[in-house]
Amino acid sequence: MRIIKKLMIGMSLIMGSQLVVAAGSGTTLETVNPEADRMALRSYYQSRFPDSELSDYVNGIYAVDADSRSQWEDLEEFPPYEFDVEEGERLFNTPFANGKGYADCFENGGIGIRQNFPYWNKEQGTVKTLEQEINECRENNGEAPLKWGKGAIAKVSAYMAWTSRGKVFDIKIPEGDKEALAAYLDGKKFFYTKRGQLNLSCSNCHLQGSNIRIRADLAGPALGHPSHFPVFRSKWGELGTLHRRYKGCHQDSRSNPLDMQSTTFRNLEFFQTYMSNGLVVNGPGSRK
């Protein structure tokens, strides 16, 4: 009950806010306006946390909570993901059995491209994520796919994110492409839809609940959320991908969790990353 009470306090903060226009409920393909959604989200956070710079939202909760930021800055002196990035670089540069490697599968040899993901693949009619294409690269070269969520795939992704630090997200929804717009809308609706025994949505914790304590944790803002993944979480004691976090959040709401890299989770990443357009890649990151 205390969790719900805190969330209700957070919900009261947006009554009358412009962000109401961004809610997924009642939105149709004909009325959805991604750019209006993005600007409404920015306006909401500028109004709620006027002392925080928009560019700082790549740092999650540390953009809006000074006490948490101080502890995080101390941690970043010797970042816990440092060895994972080094291992990711080694794995990235290790040739496959056929002599090819990851660099052969991506533009620019896979360096400095994290800001281009996820993207809409018109030919396949689906959203493609970086981790998805890492495994497709392996399979297309006769290698077994890596397990989703953690381990080698998180390390390779972390290295690729590291080479892209400072690059600006500019996720595109091709003009006139109704399928791409439908994928965005699907991700948006999932973000705002309540589910599970606790009847919570992503927005309850990461929009209304931003910087409000839930048990021992402060929920981070939705703005900039995908920018710092993969993340080394103290709770995990290791590096994990964005979809690992999605699955964990889903479980926390006592829902039947979807599979990592499912269509719905990829659409959710598409929506969330579009909302972070204009911010920079800041991964990998460290969090509690």
Side-chain angles (χ1 to χ4, degrees):
M1 291 302 294
R2 284 182 297 175
I3 298 174
I4 302 300
K5 182 178 180 181
K6 288 181 180 293
L7 288 173
M8 290 303 294
I9 293 172
M11 288 176 68
S12 69
L13 294 174
I14 66 163
M15 295 303 292
S17 165
Q18 287 184 328
L19 198 62
V20 171
V21 302
S25 178
T27 307
T28 66
L29 202 58
E30 289 72 28
T31 61
V32 66
N33 186 330
E35 196 58 16
D37 292 346
R38 188 176 73 88
M39 296 311 295
L41 186 68
R42 286 184 164 222
S43 295
Y44 167 70
Y45 280 110
Q46 285 178 307
S47 175
R48 184 167 168 194
F49 302 111
D51 295 330
S52 297
E53 296 290 334
L54 277 173
S55 60
D56 206 26
Y57 279 91
V58 297
N59 296 318
I61 188 61
Y62 312 123
V64 297
D65 182 69
D67 290 339
S68 297
R69 187 183 186 98
S70 177
Q71 297 173 29
W72 169 70
E73 287 176 342
D74 289 341
L75 183 64
E76 284 289 310
E77 290 290 325
F78 301 98
Y81 50 77
E82 187 172 13
F83 294 120
D84 288 319
V85 172
E86 292 179 1
E87 176 65 6
E89 181 178 13
R90 186 191 69 79
L91 292 170
F92 183 88
N93 291 315
T94 299
F96 301 139
N98 66 0
K100 294 185 177 181
Y102 292 110
D104 296 299
C105 298
F106 296 96
E107 63 176 343
N108 201 41
I111 303 302
I113 62 169
R114 170 67 183 92
Q115 71 280 1
N116 300 327
F117 289 87
Y119 71 95
W120 176 254
N121 186 304
K122 186 175 180 64
E123 289 71 28
Q124 296 183 25
T126 191
V127 171
K128 303 301 288 289
T129 68
L130 179 58
E131 288 81 16
Q132 182 185 22
E133 292 211 333
I134 287 172
N135 261 346
E136 287 181 358
C137 175
R138 294 181 61 83
E139 292 180 285
N140 290 340
N141 284 282
E143 300 288 328
L146 301 172
K147 291 183 178 180
W148 301 122
K150 61 181 180 179
I153 200 164
K155 293 173 183 179
V156 172
S157 180
Y159 167 67
M160 295 179 74
W162 179 262
T163 70
S164 308
R165 276 195 166 189
K167 301 281 188 179
V168 178
F169 283 106
D170 187 21
I171 305 305
K172 303 290 188 184
I173 301 175
E175 186 174 355
D177 192 324
K178 291 185 177 180
E179 285 188 285
L181 194 60
Y184 167 89
L185 180 57
D186 182 60
K188 175 182 174 180
K189 286 184 173 180
F190 186 88
F191 182 81
Y192 286 103
T193 299
K194 294 177 180 290
R195 63 187 63 84
Q197 290 180 336
L198 294 182
N199 196 35
L200 294 174
S201 66
C202 304
S203 65
N204 284 143
C205 291
H206 296 289
L207 194 61
Q208 297 100 321
S210 300
N211 204 28
I212 292 176
R213 194 167 296 281
I214 303 175
R215 296 196 181 102
D217 296 323
L218 292 169
L223 183 61
H225 192 191
S227 63
H228 43 269
F229 278 84
V231 156
F232 188 103
R233 293 190 74 205
S234 300
K235 179 179 179 179
W236 294 338
E238 61 183 353
L239 202 66
T241 66
L242 179 60
H243 284 226
R244 179 181 179 183
R245 191 72 189 102
Y246 283 166
K247 186 173 182 178
C249 285
H250 214 184
Q251 289 172 319
D252 289 344
S253 68
R254 297 180 186 170
S255 303
N256 292 322
L258 301 175
D259 291 333
M260 289 179 280
Q261 297 301 325
S262 64
T263 298
T264 298
F265 277 171
R266 284 186 284 114
N267 289 347
L268 176 61
E269 182 178 348
F270 191 45
F271 164 72
Q272 280 205 290
T273 311
Y274 185 94
M275 291 294 97
S276 297
N277 272 352
L279 299 179
V280 300
V281 177
N282 194 34
S286 58
R287 297 293 183 267
K288 287 179 64 177

